[in-house]
Amino acid sequence: MLLSDFKPRSKLVTRTTLVERPRFPVIDAHNHLAEPFGGGWDQRPTSELLDTLDQAGVVAYVDLDGGWGEDLLHRHLDHFKNAAPERFRIFGGVDWERWPEHGDGFGEWAAARFREQARRGAEGLKIWKPFGLHVRDQHGALVAVDDPRLDPLWATAGELGLPVLVHVADPVAFFDPIDETNERWEELGGHPEWSFPSPPFPPFLDIVNGFAAVVARHSATTFIGAHVGCYAENLAWVGAVLDHCPNFHIDFSARIGELGRQPYSSRRFFLKYADRILFGLDAGPDLPNYRLYYRFLETDDEYFNYNDSEAPLQGRWHACGLYLPDDVLRKVYFDNAARMFDIKR
Ligand SMILES: [Zn+2]
């Protein structure tokens, strides 16, 4: 039998708790509404979307798909914000393709563009993961995450009082050779384009340490490190950045597989940094996925699938729930994001 045909079923007799509704109202601070991640809701009636969010107990939803082209941002603002202004926050972005045209002044230009996006209604800035891996300057050189030419952009977000949600790097194993020791061998087999060996790519730690340097340098700007600060595999590293930088927050979207297989460390982490953690699904407005996250946060269920598929999409591991206390749940589900996005209840 090939390993790919091996699909063992756990024989543990343990509890399965269905958490249909979250214990407190939820603000989803990391998600999408356009293709490919968000289900193409910019082409579908918003009333259906609101029904799903109501069912999931999600009272506000951050849509990171505003993009950088005026058209896209305007379409999202018009489509979602006009329909239910209090339910959506739409983020803008940076058009890195324009770097060669603006050269060393690119940071100033991007800052001015973000000001314009904010004037039109964008309520945050999303930095996608090509930054640090693919974005190049006017000389064709890779732009480091802490490149000082971008300081005007980060400072402008601080002046505007709008958060910057950053996803740099990717799972650490994507930077390792694709061999028999790689914990994401099966996933990389299906997506070899997700492999970032160094060289030619920078080492994982250079990227995330560059991000931490930017956060430290711009203490007046609120940063959200996506996917557990971009380093869910190392909660001590993330905790050190949180300790050092009061302006740093994290979301834990798409990382139940990492958190749930280190449940003791994760639980301690959530208790210690309860004021700095935001809820995010990053899988579109998907009811079964929301319920999986609620189960992970609220119950002490053991050894369950970290996604709603039977296949080991990321790796052959399982998650244990964190059974967080109510005061922590309330902060993670609602209070922290409500403070950041000025959402009243
Ligand atoms: Zn995302």
Side-chain angles (χ1 to χ4, degrees), residues 134-153:
H134 302 291
V135 170
R136 290 179 183 274
D137 73 3
Q138 71 271 26
H139 309 297
L142 188 75
V143 174
V145 170
D146 58 352
D147 191 313
R149 290 175 292 182
L150 291 169
D151 283 340
L153 176 62

Side-chain angles (χ1 to χ4, degrees), residues 30-32 37 64-65 126 128 165 167 226-227 253-254 281-283:
H30 181 145
N31 219 325
H32 302 271
F37 304 113
L64 300 175
D65 291 345
K126 167 77 195 287
W128 296 73
L165 192 148
H167 176 190
H227 315 311
S253 62
L281 194 71
D282 197 24

